[in-house]
Amino acid sequence: MQSKFQQFKTDFEAQLHTVADRLKLEELRTQFLGRKGKLAELMKEMGLLAQDQRQVLGAVANEVKTAVEAAFAQKETTVRAQEDAAAAQREWIDVTEPGSWPRAGHLHPVSTAIAEISDIFSRIGFSRVRAPEVDWDYYAFESLNMPKDHPARDDWETFFVKQAAGSRQQAAGTEDERIHHELQAASRPLPASPDMGRLVLTPHTSNSQVREMEKGKLPIRMININRTYRRQSDVTHVPMFHQFEGLLIDKDVTIGNLKGTLDYFAKAYFGPSRVTRLRPHHFRFTEPSFEIDISCGLCEGKDSAMCRLCKAGWLELGGAGMVHPNVLKAGGVDPKVHGGFAFGWGVERTLSMKSGMNLDDIRLLYKNDLRFVRQF
Ligand code: DAH
């Protein structure tokens, strides 16, 4: 009987030696140490012996049992550690490895510039308004102190929209009729007189001036940003571009207010070191009128003779002036009580003058070339 216990121990140890995973280990436990296992059988057998024999054997049995259980426990620890190490090897991740990013798009630089410009003006109380981009000649020219056939109109190389000659009664369902309804919805009912003239693709955003005054609410502090159209295409011009138009109408408005507003914008958009300068000019809708220049961000006026960007330290941005009394009258505002200033700039031009843009051909903005757009 004693040798059976010894044999049991030897068999167990031999088998234990070959085990390499938890599954096999569990099988081994059932086979040798389980309720119906080999050890249990031996114990049962031992129970049949006479008491004195049992006492002698009991000690041996205990010894074997303890030794076997200890060996088993030790093997279990080793197997578990080996398995865990293997799993760690297999499922290893490098948490410091850079992640893979979803490819997100972004706004076109012109859209970003429009949002930025609106934001800058909203901070000083200019609300964004919208005037039609296809509008009557009256709003684009005539109400701005440019009578029909006035030569000043030639400065805006305007696209005209074809419509039934001389009439504003459009045939039902035509494109003209649709535009006509859109325009009426955008403004108060069209006055019977003056004559609204032909439809034009707005060559500037100044059509918003009289339209805003016609709403009849003073004071006015508005910014209109919209698409504009001119028959032109070269490195600094595209046929479809954007302008922003500012208009302020109130009592006691001075050129100082205009200059302050422009300087504020120049610093907010281009950077704190930039300043503006007003140069006398002529527009029919402002008196006096100015062209606005901004100090050059490249040479900062220091080496302007050599600068490839500016003229004598300055870059030309847009037009401005004090609103002409005839324009105020056209908008139903009394020039003896109220006055104001206005300015109008191109968005693409403004964008191209931002430091770091280095945009030497404005047409690139509309080439739909992703390699270009992704740079911003
Ligand atoms: N509308 C002018 C243009 O397109 C720019 C302009 C000049 C706008 C003077 C104004 C202004 O509001 O007062 O060239």
Side-chain angles (χ1 to χ4, degrees):
M1 189 76 221
Q2 195 169 340
S3 66
K4 277 191 180 170
F5 274 107
Q6 289 309 337
Q7 189 59 47
F8 166 82
K9 187 167 172 248
T10 319
D11 288 352
F12 177 81
E13 279 168 354
Q15 295 234 19
L16 189 69
H17 191 69
T18 65
V19 165
D21 59 67
R22 267 188 261 190
L23 203 68
K24 281 267 151 45
L25 199 63
E26 201 43 45
E27 279 172 18
L28 198 68
R29 183 213 297 278
T30 326
Q31 198 186 339
F32 284 84
L33 305 170
R35 268 196 311 122
K36 292 178 182 161
K38 289 190 171 151
L39 185 62
E41 259 169 46
L42 287 179
M43 292 305 225
K44 221 191 270 170
E45 218 175 292
M46 194 174 79
L48 301 174
L49 297 176
Q51 194 178 359
D52 54 336
Q53 278 182 314
R54 249 192 290 150
Q55 264 170 0
V56 182
L57 257 179
V60 177
N62 257 340
E63 206 178 287
V64 166
K65 190 171 178 246
T66 318
V68 160
E69 276 175 357
F72 185 88
Q74 201 190 355
K75 184 75 178 181
E76 198 173 29
T77 314
T78 338
V79 165
R80 189 165 292 174
Q82 275 166 358
E83 279 194 2
D84 287 352
Q89 244 333 297
R90 212 171 39 244
E91 293 158 18
W92 171 99
I93 56 160
D94 180 359
V95 291
T96 64
E97 190 181 6
S100 58
W101 292 88
R103 249 172 96 143
H106 63 75
L107 292 175
H108 188 275
V110 170
S111 302
T112 313
I114 289 174
E116 219 175 306
I117 292 165
S118 320
D119 180 56
I120 289 171
F121 281 106
S122 76
R123 280 183 245 150
I124 53 167
F126 283 71
S127 349
R128 178 102 184 254
V129 302
R130 200 85 197 239
E133 70 180 81
V134 182
D135 207 353
W136 300 110
D137 177 296
Y138 174 75
Y139 290 107
F141 293 115
E142 201 155 350
S143 69
L144 296 172
N145 201 28
M146 281 185 276
K148 283 191 184 60
D149 303 323
H150 195 283
R153 289 177 169 220
D154 293 348
D155 293 344
W156 289 272
E157 296 170 304
T158 312
F159 290 109
F160 291 88
V161 177
K162 214 168 161 192
Q163 57 191 132
S167 92
R168 280 203 273 122
Q169 286 316 105
Q170 316 295 338
T174 62
E175 182 65 6
D176 282 353
E177 192 198 41
R178 192 187 61 74
I179 294 170
H180 181 77
H181 284 311
E182 232 169 64
L183 293 180
Q184 280 202 320
S187 65
R188 63 176 184 152
L190 292 173
S193 146
D195 180 9
M196 293 287 122
R198 299 171 69 180
L199 279 176
V200 300
L201 297 187
T202 48
H204 57 176
T205 43
S206 303
N207 65 320
S208 55
Q209 293 196 12
V210 166
R211 280 193 171 276
E212 195 58 25
M213 291 182 224
E214 281 181 346
K215 290 181 185 163
K217 271 198 221 128
L218 292 177
I220 292 170
R221 245 187 241 196
M222 63 136 232
I223 190 100
N224 167 43
I225 310 183
N226 213 343
R227 276 181 287 265
T228 43
Y229 303 85
R230 291 186 202 177
R231 203 164 166 269
Q232 55 184 14
S233 178
D234 57 46
V235 291
T236 52
H237 296 95
V238 274
M240 189 287 299
F241 59 109
H242 296 76
Q243 277 194 341
F244 60 102
E245 185 86 9
L247 177 71
L248 182 143
I249 307 283
D250 208 338
K251 290 176 179 157
D252 307 320
V253 183
T254 68
I255 296 176
N257 299 140
L258 168 63
K259 179 77 166 74
T261 306
L262 299 176
D263 272 342
Y264 158 76
F265 175 76
K267 287 181 198 311
Y269 187 78
F270 295 103
S273 65
R274 313 288 283 271
V275 288
T276 62
R277 146 180 110 164
L278 301 182
R279 212 161 14 86
H281 197 71
H282 176 76
F283 293 107
R284 290 281 301 177
F285 35 95
T286 39
E287 182 55 40
S289 300
F290 309 101
E291 275 201 321
I292 314 152
D293 293 339
I294 177 164
S295 56
C296 179
L298 195 62
C299 70
E300 295 179 323
K302 285 183 199 114
D303 195 15
S304 53
M306 297 299 289
C307 187
R308 63 181 164 81
L309 199 62
C310 69
K311 275 189 227 148
W314 296 94
L315 301 161
E316 204 180 296
L317 263 185
M322 305 309 284
V323 182
H324 194 286
N326 288 352
V327 177
L328 293 170
K329 280 188 218 154
V333 175
D334 184 353
K336 288 195 208 75
V337 185
H338 286 91
F341 64 72
F343 52 88
W345 297 354
V347 172
E348 289 80 354
R349 192 174 175 72
T350 307
L351 175 67
S352 70
M353 285 179 186
K354 199 164 184 147
S355 335
M357 273 300 286
N358 288 329
L359 193 58
D360 53 11
D361 186 343
I362 224 165
R363 291 171 296 190
L364 274 171
L365 287 168
Y366 297 112
K367 282 256 159 74
N368 276 348
D369 188 335
L370 283 176
R371 288 171 307 175
F372 170 76
V373 176
R374 284 198 182 119
Q375 296 175 86
F376 302 99

